[in-house]
Amino acid sequence: MNKNSTSKKKIETIYVEKFLSHFENLEIEKSFEKPDFILKQQNEIIGLEHQIIVNSKAREREGYLKNIFVLAQEELQNENPELLPFFATCYIHENFDHSLYRKNELKEIVKNVIRECIVNANTLENPIIYDIDWNPDDFFFIYPQLGAWWQKRISDEEILSSIRNKEEKLPSYRENVNGQIWLLLVINETGESSYIMRKEPISSFESKFDKIYVLEYIYNKIHQIK
């Protein structure tokens, strides 16, 4: 398993463990591929497939901003060797539009704002970051907090589309697991690319998964929709 696959599986495991915290005597038996996990509840084996639902356009924006912060972090370390390692969470202005600036310009703004905050305990006025929380750490890490308050309520179609996509692979899951197959849909990560749960009930639908759950990660809520 390569580095990216290992990192992806670690993230999946975090989500699944939070989901399992809502059940008694249900635990991960082993990490798998088709489906993602094999669960065990007493003597019962359950296959669990996992899917994160995101807004792809907003996810691209988040990826662009995270890349800016990675570049700023690397240059801060190289240009300011006197700085001790720190972990900084940078809160992004809700209406910030990165398309109005060139990439290098954004990187320089981020570097200057963070340097001023760490060295002089002052937050410079700027179009990107409105606040910074930081603490000394063993490693340098600068993280853009994009704000769960931007998240929209998920639609029926976004949920049903994710279920349909996973159902195409259901026969291969059945071949590998002699037991029920559950589907876990994850929403409510950090950032505007994720969603929160709709207030209205999901429209009536049919699925060959034995059970389907939606996990709101930050709120730590689960919703059984089948």
Side-chain angles (χ1 to χ4, degrees):
M1 186 178 289
N2 62 38
K3 185 176 180 180
N4 288 338
S5 297
T6 301
S7 177
K8 180 174 180 289
K9 184 57 74 172
K10 285 181 179 178
I11 293 171
E12 290 178 352
T13 302
I14 290 170
Y15 293 152
V16 170
E17 286 177 344
K18 178 163 280 195
F19 167 69
L20 295 180
S21 70
H22 294 269
F23 299 83
E24 291 186 5
N25 303 318
L26 183 59
E27 59 187 17
I28 296 175
E29 173 75 2
K30 62 180 176 179
S31 177
F32 210 61
E33 287 301 322
K34 295 181 180 181
D36 293 321
F37 293 90
I38 303 298
L39 309 180
K40 188 174 182 180
Q41 189 170 41
Q42 297 177 338
N43 294 323
E44 183 181 3
I45 296 298
I46 300 166
L48 181 71
E49 181 63 9
H50 157 283
Q51 174 69 48
I52 300 171
I53 306 178
V54 297
N55 179 307
S56 57
K57 185 175 181 179
R59 181 55 62 97
E60 287 179 10
R61 174 181 180 273
E62 291 172 0
Y64 181 86
L65 283 175
K66 287 178 181 178
N67 181 251
I68 294 292
F69 277 76
V70 167
L71 295 174
Q73 173 185 311
E74 292 174 350
E75 292 194 7
L76 268 176
Q77 289 179 252
N78 294 331
E79 295 171 2
N80 303 91
E82 73 281 3
L83 289 179
L84 296 176
F86 60 87
F87 184 105
T89 301
C90 302
Y91 296 89
I92 308 301
H93 283 293
E94 182 175 356
N95 297 319
F96 170 64
D97 184 357
H98 69 80
S99 66
L100 300 177
Y101 303 87
R102 288 189 291 272
K103 192 171 187 177
N104 282 338
E105 186 179 5
L106 293 176
K107 181 184 63 179
E108 291 302 317
I109 292 172
V110 171
K111 283 166 48 182
N112 292 336
V113 170
I114 293 175
R115 185 187 294 112
E116 179 69 13
C117 178
I118 302 299
V119 175
N120 298 318
N122 179 44
T123 302
L124 295 173
E125 186 174 342
N126 71 95
I128 310 173
I129 302 167
Y130 72 85
D131 196 13
I132 301 174
D133 287 335
W134 73 276
N135 290 289
D137 203 280
D138 294 332
F139 303 95
F140 284 94
F141 191 73
I142 301 171
Y143 177 74
Q145 174 55 266
L146 299 162
W149 57 87
W150 300 353
Q151 293 177 0
K152 300 176 182 177
R153 293 195 181 275
I154 194 165
S155 69
D156 266 12
E157 180 52 36
E158 284 155 333
I159 291 175
L160 298 178
S161 176
S162 295
I163 294 172
R164 287 194 295 268
N165 289 339
K166 286 298 183 179
E167 283 205 319
E168 294 178 1
K169 302 176 183 178
L170 190 53
S172 64
Y173 306 156
R174 296 278 186 207
E175 289 179 3
N176 295 329
V177 179
N178 183 21
Q180 292 191 3
I181 305 293
W182 295 2
L183 176 61
L184 174 63
L185 304 174
V186 179
I187 59 175
N188 189 221
E189 299 178 290
T190 59
E192 75 172 313
S193 66
S194 197
Y195 298 95
I196 56 177
M197 192 61 177
R198 54 188 287 113
K199 292 182 178 180
E200 304 80 7
I202 304 298
S203 299
S204 178
F205 69 95
E206 293 184 0
S207 173
K208 294 180 181 178
F209 280 101
D210 296 289
K211 293 184 181 180
I212 302 175
Y213 294 89
V214 178
L215 168 67
E216 291 187 275
Y217 177 70
I218 295 176
Y219 297 159
N220 194 20
K221 295 180 179 179
I222 60 170
H223 309 267
Q224 184 173 358
I225 60 175
K226 186 194 173 186

